[in-house]
């Protein structure tokens, strides 16, 4: 339904992610089977405009019903991590320093990253990537040095993933300016639906 809606509006969406519960702990899992009430559902949509060739990218995490206290805690912390990035993003900044600040925040708040029972958990992907005529392009906001410049368009998508709880990721698209960034994403953020 998501892909058909995007197509009706002049876009092309493929590999859309709708992953609930433990499926959401793998950031690239597209999702399958039932979406259960009271579990987090990651919705990641990255359509391409068929007229211009430019990509969009947005992720929201929702719970159909009531979120557990642990999911609420993850959600609040991921939203805080996005705010950390928004405050630091500006021309001349190294995206690696922003990524490291978010990693420190998660560790300080008691949400470690590592392998547990054979699965990655915590925050184990980049904070963001360039977005334009390619879905993933320079610059990066990750563990690799990458200097941001005014006019760059990047995603900001921290996430936390723990089997038995589920995954939480929020993603907005911003444009870098000389003094900060401007969020281009207007879709609201809310956890429970």
């Amino acid at each position: 339904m998501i892909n058909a809606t995007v197509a009706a509006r002049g876009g092309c969406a493929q590999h859309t992610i709708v992953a609930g519960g433990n499926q959401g702990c793998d950031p690239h899992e597209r999702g399958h089977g039932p979406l259960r009430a009271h579990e987090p559902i990651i919705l990641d949509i990255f359509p391409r405009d068929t007229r211009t060739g430019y990509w969009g990218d947005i992720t929201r995490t929702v719970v159909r019903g009531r979120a557990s206290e642990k999911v609420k805690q993850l959600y609040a912390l991921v939203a805080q991590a996005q705010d950390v990035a928004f405050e630091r993003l500006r021309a001349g900044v190294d995206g690696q320093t922003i990524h490291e600040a978010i990693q420190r925040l998660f560790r300080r708040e008691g949400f470690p990253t590592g392998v547990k029972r054979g699965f990655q958990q915590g925050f184990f992907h980049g904070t963001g990537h360039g977005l334009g005529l390619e879905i993933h392009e320079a610059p990066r906001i990750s563990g690799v040095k990458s200097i941001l410049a005014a006019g760059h368009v990047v995603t900001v998508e921290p996430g936390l993933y723990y089997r038995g709880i589920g995954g939480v990721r929020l993603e907005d698209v911003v444009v870098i300016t000389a003094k900060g960034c401007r969020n281009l994403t207007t879709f609201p953020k809310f956890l429970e639906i």
Side-chain angles (χ1 to χ4, degrees):
M1 290 174 59
I2 292 169
N3 294 353
T5 300
V6 169
R9 288 171 171 75
C12 179
Q14 296 178 325
H15 312 294
T16 297
I17 294 170
V18 181
N22 282 334
Q23 290 179 24
C25 294
D26 175 350
H28 298 289
E29 167 63 48
R30 291 179 56 197
H32 57 277
L35 296 170
R36 293 180 174 81
H38 316 299
E39 292 185 347
I41 302 166
I42 293 180
L43 304 157
D44 189 348
I45 306 164
F46 37 99
R48 188 171 200 180
D49 184 287
T50 54
R51 186 179 55 80
T52 66
Y54 282 93
W55 290 85
D57 208 352
I58 184 172
T59 303
R60 293 295 185 258
T61 301
V62 297
V63 172
R64 195 174 48 128
R66 296 307 229 175
S68 71
E69 288 306 312
K70 190 57 93 172
V71 169
K72 288 178 184 179
Q73 188 178 11
L74 291 177
Y75 190 91
L77 190 54
V78 168
Q80 183 182 347
Q82 262 200 326
D83 288 340
V84 166
F86 296 151
E87 291 167 6
R88 294 170 182 243
L89 285 165
R90 65 184 38 80
V93 170
D94 183 351
Q96 184 178 22
T97 64
I98 296 167
H99 181 71
E100 290 171 349
I102 291 170
Q103 288 176 315
R104 283 191 304 274
L105 169 67
F106 289 157
R107 280 193 307 269
R108 186 173 64 243
E109 294 298 320
F111 292 93
T113 296
V115 177
K116 185 174 182 181
R117 295 188 193 112
F119 294 98
Q120 278 278 28
Q121 67 172 9
F123 179 45
F124 48 85
H125 58 72
T127 298
H129 56 83
L131 186 69
L133 292 173
E134 298 294 332
I135 184 67
H136 294 102
E137 60 183 39
R140 301 276 184 201
I141 305 171
S142 69
V144 177
K145 183 177 175 123
S146 187
I147 304 301
L148 302 169
H152 280 155
V153 175
V154 296
T155 66
V156 179
E157 53 179 307
L160 285 169
Y161 313 89
Y162 296 95
R163 293 186 70 76
I165 300 169
V168 172
R169 183 168 66 250
L170 296 170
E171 179 182 25
D172 290 350
V173 174
V174 302
V175 61
I176 303 299
T177 68
K179 296 184 179 184
C181 70
R182 184 168 50 93
N183 196 331
L184 302 175
T185 306
T186 59
F187 195 82
K189 295 173 190 151
F190 48 86
L191 177 58
E192 295 175 333
I193 55 173

